[in-house]
Amino acid sequence: MGGEHTPKAVGIVWGLLGLNTLGSTGAKTIVALPRSLIQMVTMGALAAAFALALALNPRLRIRASAFVFLLTLLLVPSVISSADLESGLGALFRCARFALFVGTLWLLTRWWDGSVTFVRYHIRMYFAVLVSVAAGLAISPGAAMPELYGGRLVGALWPLTPPQIGQYTAVIIGLTVLLLLGRRTDGVGAAVVVVPSLVLLALTHTRTATVGLLVGLALAIGSLVLTSAAARRLFAWAVLVATVAAVGFASALRTWFLRGQSQENFTSLTGRAKVWDALLAAPRTTAEQLFGTGLGDKSFGGLPIDNSWLAVYNEQGLTGAAVVAAIILVLGGVALLRPPSLPRACAIFLISYVAISSYTEAGLGDASPYLLHLALAASLLAAPAADTPLPAPAVPRRRVPRWARIER
């Protein structure tokens, strides 16, 4: 498999996986879309992704991957906790969806070779989503920035929340900047992606995405400073700009982060802490502590949990939380052991971003954009497969006439 060309259709599979993880809930769209129709589209995208991946890899040639193996293990507590139907038939449906998602990733591991091929797929996929967000803003600014969300940018053509849009913008900004540093794209191409994405990120007013972008980029660029002069220059300029901004715009930055909220509301993370306390205080049986209550909609008492670790604990128990922790630790450990390179820097950015976002966003225990980010990191950290040497053609023995043979 070494040096094997990646078919263009693999990018389509990756895009279909991204479409499946967009979700079916969010802001009201310009044209009302029934939730059943959105779910049909997203689930159809996952089924199509699996079928296309299977068609591209009919011999089921896969590569060993600790990440996908751990995701497969995560299916065990998911099925055990969902089997008693405490969370309804929807839990088993989500298990089947998760299994199909993991199965598609297994089929794609054939082309995970440590190159930035899947990074380009990732950027194109989410940039297409952001184009739809920008189109909705242009068509109906009122629907795209409703008062219900405090005037923050939402998806007006497809139901997307401000945190979702903030996540997509932050991820493609970070990856594009790193590609520019690694000279895998030019300045014009990078500007086409980064500039409008920064505008959309500012309009979403998403704190988690902004912090994740800044910290993730700092760690990723820091991993390149010993081997890249461009990374050293950018790092120095970033430190200078950050210092000036912290000193000269401290008040404005504080106002932006408070987002019009009171200090108490900000401290409680917009009410999230109350949901977390109630979840941890709820009585649980031993089985529920170990395996959870089954895959659900990442809510507790009708309110969103907004924390990946507590959502996993609630739905997949301590067993699921241990597997998710192993995923982050394994990916982080492998990234630290790799020599400095552009793929390693991209992986460090993605792992850092997901780890930071996991505190205020849910999604590490089920098919989600966060698991897709980590799958991309795993593909970047995969060691290139060794080329299998072609067998040398057999050299035909030359026939020597009897009269020319030397008798011994």
Side-chain angles (χ1 to χ4, degrees), residues 20-287:
N20 172 254
T21 61
L22 290 182
S24 59
T25 59
K28 292 183 178 180
T29 53
I30 298 173
V31 177
L33 299 175
R35 187 178 179 185
S36 58
L37 174 62
I38 297 174
Q39 290 176 330
M40 187 183 303
V41 171
T42 54
M43 281 305 302
L46 179 58
F50 181 79
L52 182 55
L54 191 59
L56 294 170
N57 191 3
R59 296 184 180 180
L60 304 182
R61 296 168 64 187
I62 62 176
R63 294 194 61 185
S65 171
F67 168 74
V68 188
F69 173 73
L70 289 171
L71 280 187
T72 307
L73 282 184
L74 189 58
L75 279 168
V76 176
S78 303
V79 173
I80 291 175
S81 59
S82 302
D84 62 2
L85 300 181
E86 182 178 340
S87 299
L89 286 174
L92 290 178
F93 176 80
R94 292 183 178 94
C95 285
R97 171 180 177 248
F98 190 24
L100 207 58
F101 180 85
V102 175
T104 306
L105 291 181
W106 271 122
L107 293 171
L108 292 180
T109 56
R110 173 180 178 177
W111 295 283
W112 289 6
D113 57 1
S115 69
V116 297
T117 301
F118 282 85
V119 172
R120 300 186 187 279
Y121 296 156
H122 215 63
I123 293 174
R124 292 168 187 166
M125 170 181 67
Y126 285 124
F127 188 72
V129 175
L130 295 181
V131 168
S132 73
V133 173
L137 177 62
I139 295 172
S140 178
M145 303 186 72
E147 288 299 324
L148 178 63
Y149 283 87
R152 300 166 65 192
L153 181 64
V154 300
L157 297 181
W158 185 276
L160 298 172
T161 62
Q164 282 181 283
I165 300 172
Q167 174 195 166
Y168 305 151
T169 56
V171 167
I172 69 170
I173 289 170
L175 292 176
T176 304
V177 169
L178 292 174
L179 288 183
L180 182 62
L181 273 180
R183 298 181 179 179
R184 300 299 178 89
T185 187
D186 56 21
V188 175
V192 168
V193 174
V194 171
V195 174
S197 297
L198 281 172
V199 173
L200 296 181
L201 176 59
L203 292 176
T204 63
H205 221 95
T206 307
R207 295 176 293 218
T208 301
T210 304
V211 173
L213 170 63
L214 296 176
V215 175
L217 266 183
L219 294 174
I221 296 173
S223 71
L224 292 171
V225 293
L226 295 179
T227 58
S228 170
R232 288 192 291 272
R233 288 193 298 269
L234 181 58
F235 193 81
W237 275 106
V239 171
L240 178 61
V241 171
T243 303
V244 172
V247 174
F249 302 97
S251 178
L253 290 174
R254 182 176 182 275
T255 301
W256 189 88
F257 266 90
L258 283 177
R259 219 161 54 193
Q261 299 171 340
S262 65
Q263 188 67 40
E264 180 183 358
N265 199 19
F266 178 75
T267 304
S268 66
L269 297 172
T270 321
R272 290 184 176 96
K274 296 179 181 178
V275 179
W276 300 347
D277 292 339
L279 187 152
L280 291 173
R284 293 174 183 270
T285 65
T286 302

Side-chain angles (χ1 to χ4, degrees), residues 194-402:
V194 171
V195 174
S197 297
L198 281 172
V199 173
L200 296 181
L201 176 59
L203 292 176
T204 63
H205 221 95
T206 307
R207 295 176 293 218
T208 301
T210 304
V211 173
L213 170 63
L214 296 176
V215 175
L217 266 183
L219 294 174
I221 296 173
S223 71
L224 292 171
V225 293
L226 295 179
T227 58
S228 170
R232 288 192 291 272
R233 288 193 298 269
L234 181 58
F235 193 81
W237 275 106
V239 171
L240 178 61
V241 171
T243 303
V244 172
V247 174
F249 302 97
S251 178
L253 290 174
R254 182 176 182 275
T255 301
W256 189 88
F257 266 90
L258 283 177
R259 219 161 54 193
Q261 299 171 340
S262 65
Q263 188 67 40
E264 180 183 358
N265 199 19
F266 178 75
T267 304
S268 66
L269 297 172
T270 321
R272 290 184 176 96
K274 296 179 181 178
V275 179
W276 300 347
D277 292 339
L279 187 152
L280 291 173
R284 293 174 183 270
T285 65
T286 302
E288 288 174 342
Q289 285 185 336
L290 289 176
F291 302 110
T293 59
L295 293 185
D297 58 359
K298 313 299 178 286
S299 67
F300 181 79
L303 297 173
I305 297 174
D306 286 340
N307 180 289
S308 285
W309 302 100
L310 291 179
V312 170
Y313 168 68
N314 184 55
E315 296 183 355
Q316 290 138 310
L318 293 173
T319 305
V323 174
V324 171
I327 290 173
I328 300 294
L329 291 175
V330 167
L331 287 176
V334 173
L336 291 176
L337 294 174
R338 288 282 188 270
S341 65
L342 175 61
R344 174 182 183 248
C346 291
I348 289 175
F349 168 75
L350 291 165
I351 297 167
S352 304
Y353 182 87
V354 171
I356 292 170
S357 300
S358 67
Y359 186 64
T360 57
E361 298 292 337
L364 287 181
D366 202 351
S368 70
Y370 293 106
L371 285 188
L372 207 56
H373 301 332
L374 292 181
L376 176 58
S379 76
L380 291 164
L381 295 173
D387 290 324
T388 303
L390 295 176
V395 179
R397 293 185 62 184
R398 186 177 180 182
R399 185 175 180 276
V400 181
R402 182 185 295 270

